[in-house]
Amino acid sequence: MPRFLLILITVCLAVPASADTVIRRGLGPEPDSLDIHQAQGLAAINLLRDLREGLLTFSAEGEIVNGVADNWEILDEGLRYRFELRQDARWSNGEAVLASDFERALKAAVDPERAVTTAGLLAPIKNAEAILTAARPPDALGVTVVSERVLEITLERPSPWFAEILAHPVSYPLHAREGKVPELEVNGAYRLSEWTPNAIIRLEKNSEYHSAGSVAASAIEYFPIEQPAAELSRYRAGELHITETIPAGRHDWLKDNFPNDLRIYPYLGSFWLNINLTQPLLARSVDFRRALALAIDRDILTRIVIGAGEKPAFSLVPPGMSGYEPSLMPESAMTQEERESLAKQLFARSGVDQSGTVRLQLRYNTSSVHRRMAVAVAAMWKQVLGIDTELFNEEWKVFVNNRRLGVVTEVFRGGWIADYADPGSFLDLFRSNGGMNFTFFQNPHYDRLLQEAEQARGQARLDLLKQSEGLLLQEMPAIPLYYYVSRHLVKPEVRGFVDNVRDVHLSRYLSLE
């Protein structure tokens, strides 16, 4: 072998693979916020998982593992969690991440004056619910700083899913100068280096991260792309290594043309339509709401309109929760012809069409998939019930604000991805006065069932949750349409992207071959 070639090979092998590795990822819509207490959308949450880290985090396989916590234990029969923090946990400015940073963040999250929409996730912590209703001050939260690196959290009741909450952004730490310095300190594998709205969000490797040596990519470039067709075009042009989704109706084509790139996998998520019950037309009759639900042909919706592997849904909680069998709409066993016949009867019985043609508004955030869904649903309502539907397409931040205010919304795109693998993650969304209850559903019986489930254990708890879901499907504040699947295109040279039911793929595990 020529000497110059041997030298060249030696030099190439000596260069670390991560020296200038940049991985480019589709993000979906522009993130609504990178404030851990204000972020709601999946785009923001995925970014925060790269920028910050909680006491616990996710493995490449989507399982709960140690994050800032070096070790932890559950004491007092599930009522007390004790965490010892890593000695090498650092903020991006080199300062140590302390137990007080977590205490500060958790107490701020439940402060009612901050109106944190995801604060309900922290309800298992002692006194959290009383604080959220302003019955007690935030300092009463069951979080104790034992020492600089030891934190204890006391719960109201054992909550088997609580560990997963500690991997959610609402539980991430806050730096002591959060909001007081121009450059935000982070403690995750990456730090923000550039954010050009609707163009690019660039993250660079955080050299102070405790496991920086195992982080392969030197930078991650996220591209906010709301239209899946545009994202696919950029992927095919070599501009992306990973897409956030795939376009509607392209599943079979992609399977034929990109068989090694296409990733379809079961996902703990459901898609539904929310119904704003403050609107008189929608609030006056449950028969009307059930008629709307039964007029939709979910088989056509998933197989032809969406066409990306989703499954028709007749429940709000998706399958796959250990020990839990979701409640189903009673009409799930009917044929679609029978459902449509019943829909017409219920619609006539509701009396809402006595003044002439019924008109509804259906809102969705910008997405070709959502548009296809909305057009199809509107056509089905017209064909079966004679309803005219006006479609409203809104940019994500506008959509989020409108659903929160509930002034202009009537029927609108809903759905949920599990914050933790438990049916309560979905059912808590409809709790009266809950921060994420955008349907404004108010039902004391439903609230009591959830409260009883909080006190119950094992199968008794799951049975109460199933009753709760059954009540939702009777009252129909939301219309289940389909169960999600995760769907991505991933370049074959990407390593560390492991399919999992949570669809969590932290950039710290990714590398290029």
Side-chain angles (χ1 to χ4, degrees):
M1 179 182 295
R3 185 172 181 271
F4 77 89
L5 183 58
L6 180 61
I7 293 173
L8 177 61
I9 292 174
T10 303
V11 170
C12 288
L13 290 175
V15 176
S18 62
D20 57 356
T21 300
V22 178
I23 295 178
R24 299 181 296 276
R25 306 182 62 169
L27 184 62
E30 186 81 8
D32 46 54
S33 174
L34 290 186
D35 183 325
I36 61 172
H37 292 151
Q38 300 303 323
Q40 298 180 45
L42 190 60
I45 289 174
N46 283 336
L47 274 169
L48 285 169
R49 285 171 174 158
D50 278 353
L51 292 168
R52 295 175 180 263
E53 186 174 82
L55 291 163
L56 304 177
T57 187
F58 293 100
S59 68
E61 295 75 23
E63 299 300 326
I64 292 294
V65 294
N66 287 1
V68 176
D70 189 34
N71 57 72
W72 57 291
E73 53 185 337
I74 304 175
L75 307 168
D76 300 342
E77 298 183 339
L79 290 175
R80 184 162 56 96
Y81 285 63
R82 182 181 177 89
F83 300 90
E84 184 176 339
L85 276 57
R86 303 175 61 112
Q87 294 286 337
D88 56 354
R90 295 280 183 274
W91 291 100
S92 47
N93 65 355
E95 296 177 5
V97 178
L98 304 175
S100 57
D101 296 329
F102 286 95
E103 177 196 36
R104 179 183 305 107
L106 292 168
K107 289 182 176 179
V110 297
D111 186 343
E113 292 188 3
R114 292 174 64 93
V116 177
T117 55
T118 53
L121 294 173
L122 303 176
I125 302 179
K126 188 174 181 62
N127 296 327
E129 291 178 318
I131 296 167
L132 287 167
T133 58
R136 301 199 64 174
D139 282 345
L141 190 67
V143 179
T144 303
V145 175
V146 178
S147 68
E148 281 191 347
R149 296 192 181 276
V150 177
L151 183 77
E152 288 191 357
I153 300 177
T154 304
L155 306 187
E156 289 281 2
R157 63 196 71 87
S159 303
W161 66 90
F162 184 65
E164 289 192 53
I165 301 303
L166 298 176
H168 188 279
V170 75
S171 302
Y172 289 174
L174 283 178
H175 190 274
R177 295 192 299 278
E178 189 89 12
K180 300 176 183 178
V181 291
E183 195 158 319
L184 209 62
E185 304 300 344
V186 296
N187 71 317
Y190 292 89
R191 58 184 180 81
L192 182 66
S193 66
E194 178 187 350
W195 186 351
T196 303
N198 298 307
I200 185 174
I201 300 172
R202 181 180 171 89
L203 313 183
E204 293 185 354
K205 184 174 175 179
N206 177 12
S207 61
E208 296 292 338
Y209 180 58
H210 57 75
S211 300
S214 66
V215 177
S218 58
I220 306 294
E221 292 181 348
Y222 279 102
F223 296 88
I225 308 170
E226 291 196 356
Q227 295 296 341
E231 187 181 43
L232 174 58
S233 295
R234 296 185 69 169
Y235 182 84
R236 295 181 66 188
E239 297 176 20
L240 297 175
H241 293 103
I242 303 168
T243 68
E244 174 56 25
T245 188
I246 64 173
R250 301 302 299 274
H251 173 267
D252 292 345
W253 184 86
L254 289 168
K255 188 175 180 180
D256 291 339
N257 291 274
F258 291 88
N260 297 323
D261 303 48
L262 183 60
R263 304 286 193 94
I264 304 292
Y265 201 76
Y267 193 16
L268 293 180
S270 298
F271 186 98
W272 59 72
L273 295 177
N274 279 317
I275 296 176
N276 183 353
L277 296 180
T278 66
Q279 298 287 356
L281 176 66
L282 294 162
R284 63 183 287 188
S285 172
V286 68
D287 285 341
F288 178 44
R289 300 194 295 273
R290 289 182 61 209
L292 293 174
L294 295 174
I296 299 172
D297 189 330
R298 291 158 179 79
D299 181 61
I300 289 178
L301 197 64
T302 55
R303 183 169 50 86
I304 298 174
V305 177
I306 308 300
E310 293 85 353
K311 302 298 182 183
F314 291 93
S315 67
L316 295 170
V317 178
M321 304 288 184
S322 178
Y324 183 78
E325 192 69 32
S327 284
L328 298 175
M329 292 171 55
E331 302 83 4
S332 62
M334 292 181 176
T335 65
Q336 183 58 29
E337 184 178 358
E338 291 170 333
R339 284 193 284 267
E340 291 177 9
S341 176
L342 179 56
K344 293 174 182 177
Q345 297 173 40
L346 292 171
F347 184 54
R349 192 170 75 186
S350 71
V352 300
D353 63 341
Q354 293 177 352
S355 59
T357 302
V358 176
R359 291 178 172 81
L360 282 178
Q361 294 181 355
L362 175 54
R363 289 175 192 273
Y364 58 94
N365 59 289
T366 302
S367 163
S368 61
V369 174
H370 296 158
R371 175 168 175 76
R372 289 167 68 99
M373 174 278 300
V375 170
V377 168
M380 293 171 187
W381 283 345
K382 181 66 174 178
Q383 179 179 347
V384 178
L385 303 175
I387 293 173
D388 289 340
T389 307
E390 187 177 7
L391 304 183
F392 285 84
N393 170 29
E394 296 176 331
E395 187 269 335
W396 173 248
K397 291 183 180 180
V398 175
F399 176 81
V400 167
N401 189 56
N402 280 336
R403 74 177 183 181
R404 177 181 62 83
L405 295 174
V407 175
V408 297
T409 53
E410 291 184 359
V411 183
F412 56 101
R413 176 254 167 159
W416 193 248
I417 308 302
D419 287 313
Y420 48 95
D422 185 89
S425 180
F426 294 83
L427 301 177
D428 278 347
L429 298 174
F430 300 93
R431 193 187 292 264
S432 298
N433 304 316
M436 301 292 285
N437 183 4
F438 304 123
T439 67
F440 306 101
F441 177 63
Q442 304 279 324
N443 189 299
H445 184 202
Y446 181 78
D447 293 339
R448 282 196 300 273
L449 286 172
L450 291 185
Q451 289 167 3
E452 290 174 17
E454 290 173 352
Q455 305 298 327
R457 302 288 180 271
Q459 192 59 46
R461 173 179 174 272
L462 296 178
D463 290 343
L464 287 165
L465 292 176
K466 186 169 184 175
Q467 290 182 49
S468 304
E469 186 177 17
L471 180 56
L472 282 179
L473 295 172
Q474 291 174 26
E475 295 296 320
M476 205 60 71
I479 301 173
L481 295 186
Y482 56 82
Y483 304 121
Y484 280 120
V485 292
S486 63
R487 45 186 188 261
H488 304 277
L489 290 168
V490 182
K491 294 289 185 183
E493 62 266 27
V494 174
R495 295 290 178 264
F497 189 100
V498 182
D499 298 321
N500 61 80
V501 294
R502 292 185 177 86
D503 198 27
V504 173
H505 306 282
L506 276 63
S507 296
R508 61 173 287 197
Y509 302 119
L510 303 179
S511 62
L512 297 180
E513 187 178 47

